[in-house]
Structure formats: structure tokens, C-alpha cells
Amino acid sequence: MIHAKPISRKIGLLVFDDFQLLDMAGPTSVFEMPIRGMDPAPYKFTLYSQHGGSVRASCGVRVHTEPLAERMALDTLIISGGEGTRTAMHDGGLLTAIRSLSKRTRRTTSVCSGAFLLAAAGLLDGRKATTHWRRCPDLTRRFPNVQVQADRIYVRDDKFWTSAGISAGIDLALALVEDDLGEEVARKAARELVIHQRRHGGQSQFSVMQEVKLASGKFDSLISWIKTNLDSELTVDILAEKSRMSPRNFARVFKTETGTTPARLIEKLRLEAARDLVEGSTTSLQQIAQATGFREADRMRLSFLRAYGQPPMVLRRQRET
């Protein structure tokens, strides 16, 4: 049995009509995991709405909530996102309650478009923040004083934490657990949730494979093999032989099927793998370059500059802060 410090942190999640259910359920499940096998339980979790009672999620499911009290205090406030933020961000009473409550919290956080409520309450002025990639331009337009980080899983600026779309709320909650109880407890929670890999805040909201159209699935197994052999020599001749095709025909069909060339896809996959290691580990840049097929740290650095406009060490430092 793991023993935590003798403290129970009060976690409150704020919802409103038409909130996104996973924005609530994801973080709630994360905070539930450390409770199992820990004595005393490190968290007490309560679901709140402005006036309490039954609140409808955008999918139609209703949840029971407690009302926000005038002088209540929480360790951590989490504001859900969802389509309902479009209305809630104009509710003066709710924004006043958020501002007042935030003054008495150690951490104030949001999932997905919940960042709009924090911004509308004036809590993100001059701060770095993120939200769902699709709504980042709108956040920038409506709140020009917010430093929107469109390509981040989550962002921490002092006591304010904001996360990208929907499932990123799980990554945010795991980061909060790590902040409270350490990396091992957060890793255990991730394992209990059967999350293959925890994503750190600096990682991109996007995956290379989201850009690849894979028209028929013809090269699915080859791409899976490439992803696990990035440190190998991956020439067109080698890939064509593995696909049992001539090099010329392979190159033509591959571009038709995926919308890109083998070389460009491999470069992007190597960059994605290298960035994950740069931001999520303390492994040396030379070791990362070797593991991801760049061979040399200088070559990897040039690729980072072309792709991200920043060298690997700058991205690593941003993750650490």
C-alpha cells in the first residue's frame, strides 16, 4: 500500500449546461486512481455548478451538482469545456463566482474550451494558455491579451493550468497528480486507466498520422514497421522490397495512397518521436538522434529548426518550465 501525506486536497469541477461529458469524466477518473490503495485518500472530489442541482451535458446525460458557495475554498478548481461555454462565457454571475473562487484556490485550471471562461473572467490576461486547436483562433480574437499556445497539450502559467481538447484533460489531470504526489503515483494512475503513454504539456496536439490520408490501408503495416524502426536505414529501395514492389512503382503508389512521399513521412515521424523524447525525458540529444534515425544531434537540430523554428534544447526548457 502506498501512503500519501496526511492531507486531502479538495478538487472541484465546475460544469454548466451543454458541458462536454469527457471533460468531467476524464479528470474525475484520474483523481480517483490515486485514492485506491492510499491512506488517507489524497483527494476529495466534488462536482459543482453555479446554482447546483441537475446539469445537462451536451450528449443529454444529466449529472447532480452542488452549488457554488460564496466563501468556499478549494485546493484545485477545474472548469469543464464544451459547447455550453459559448453561453456561459457571457454569464456575469458565473464569471464573478469564478474570479472570487480562484482567489482562494491553489490552482485554477480548465479543460478544452473551459479556457474561454477563465479568459472571460480576466484570469488569463498576460498569461500563456491553450484550448482545443479548433477554437484557438477564436480565443486569440476574443481575448488578445491571452498568449495562446495553439500547439500544446497543456500549459502551466503560475497557478493557472489550461489544456487542449477533451482527452487532453486526462493529461492535465495526470500532471496535477504528479505535481501533488510525484511521478510514480501519476504513472500508476495512467497504468490503471490503461493509457499507453502519458503526454507531457509541450507535446503537440497533432499527430503526423492525422495528416496522412491512408486511402485504402495498403501501407498500414509498413508504416507501423517504420515507426518501430526509425533508427534503421529507410531508403525507398528497402521499403519497396519490404512491400514487394519495384522502387519506382512503390514511390508512385505510396504518394497516391498517403498524399506524401516516403522520405517526407519518415522525416515527420522521426521529428515527432524525437520531440516526444526531448520534451518527455532527460535523454541526451545525441542518444535521441541515434534512436530516431537522425544519427547526429546537429542534424536533428537543423530539422527541429526547420519544422518548429526552435532547437531541441529550447523545447526541453519550455517543457521544464
Side-chain angles (χ1 to χ4, degrees):
M1 178 178 290
I2 301 173
H3 291 275
K5 294 179 180 179
I7 181 174
S8 288
R9 298 170 174 85
K10 293 182 179 179
I11 309 294
L13 197 147
L14 178 64
V15 298
F16 37 82
D17 280 341
D18 292 324
F19 73 95
Q20 168 59 240
L21 188 63
L22 187 56
D23 288 358
M24 178 207 76
T28 303
S29 297
V30 171
F31 285 110
E32 177 192 358
M33 291 303 115
I35 292 176
R36 300 178 180 179
M38 300 187 76
D39 184 24
Y43 296 115
K44 291 182 178 179
F45 194 94
T46 305
L47 196 60
Y48 293 97
S49 65
Q50 186 177 4
H51 302 297
S54 176
V55 176
R56 184 192 68 251
S58 57
C59 64
V61 170
R62 287 187 170 273
V63 296
H64 177 75
T65 65
E66 298 296 325
L68 293 176
E70 185 175 346
R71 296 192 176 278
M72 65 182 290
L74 298 171
D75 176 84
T76 301
L77 170 65
I78 304 173
I79 298 177
S80 174
E83 285 301 303
T85 57
R86 299 181 189 277
T87 299
M89 64 186 287
H90 298 294
D91 186 330
L94 179 60
L95 299 182
T96 297
I98 290 172
R99 280 192 295 269
S100 177
L101 184 55
S102 179
K103 291 178 182 178
R104 299 188 297 278
T105 64
R106 181 171 64 93
R107 294 180 302 213
T108 300
T109 76
S110 65
V111 179
C112 194
S113 53
F116 280 79
L117 299 187
L118 291 182
L123 297 173
L124 298 181
D125 285 352
R127 299 189 182 279
K128 296 177 182 179
T130 194
T131 187
H132 191 289
W133 63 268
R134 183 168 51 83
R135 296 195 65 181
C136 279
D138 190 32
L139 186 64
T140 299
R141 180 179 61 83
R142 290 177 181 274
F143 305 103
N145 291 331
V146 179
Q147 300 173 35
V148 179
Q149 311 285 294
D151 196 22
R152 301 286 294 274
I153 294 294
Y154 62 83
V155 173
R156 177 183 186 179
D157 191 328
D158 193 26
K159 66 180 277 184
F160 296 93
W161 303 57
T162 53
S163 73
I166 308 178
S167 65
I170 295 174
D171 300 289
L172 172 67
L174 285 168
L176 297 176
V177 170
E178 180 176 339
D179 189 52
D180 293 338
L181 305 173
E183 184 176 359
E184 179 55 36
V185 175
R187 188 181 296 114
K188 178 177 179 289
R191 287 197 300 267
E192 290 291 328
L193 291 167
V194 198
I195 295 175
H196 175 64
Q197 181 180 12
R198 288 179 53 226
R199 299 180 295 176
H200 293 283
Q203 288 183 226
S204 172
Q205 293 193 36
F206 310 101
S207 166
V208 170
M209 295 313 298
Q210 289 175 302
E211 303 172 9
V212 178
K213 58 184 182 181
L214 296 177
S216 68
K218 182 180 181 67
F219 293 110
D220 284 3
S221 61
L222 177 66
I223 292 173
S224 295
W225 179 83
I226 290 171
K227 290 168 71 175
T228 58
N229 290 274
L230 291 174
D231 60 339
S232 302
E233 187 177 3
L234 299 172
T235 65
V236 168
D237 287 348
I238 291 172
L239 299 179
E241 182 179 358
K242 191 166 184 65
S243 301
R244 298 182 181 179
M245 301 170 69
S246 70
R248 183 176 179 181
N249 189 44
F250 167 77
R252 179 182 61 80
V253 176
F254 188 91
K255 187 170 184 179
T256 300
E257 289 286 317
T258 67
T260 189
T261 66
R264 289 193 186 118
L265 178 62
I266 290 167
E267 175 81 0
K268 289 181 178 181
L269 289 172
R270 281 175 168 156
L271 277 166
E272 184 173 75
R275 182 168 179 171
D276 286 353
L277 288 170
V278 165
E279 295 178 329
S281 75
T282 58
T283 306
S284 74
L285 297 187
Q286 181 58 39
Q287 289 176 309
I288 292 173
Q290 291 174 344
T292 54
F294 285 105
R295 306 295 184 216
E296 299 294 335
D298 285 344
R299 181 182 169 193
M300 183 175 74
R301 182 178 183 277
L302 291 174
S303 291
F304 268 61
L305 287 170
R306 285 194 300 268
Y308 308 125
Q310 295 177 317
M313 283 309 297
V314 170
L315 294 173
R316 176 167 281 179
R317 284 195 292 269
Q318 288 177 350
R319 151 72 179 116
E320 291 170 348
T321 58

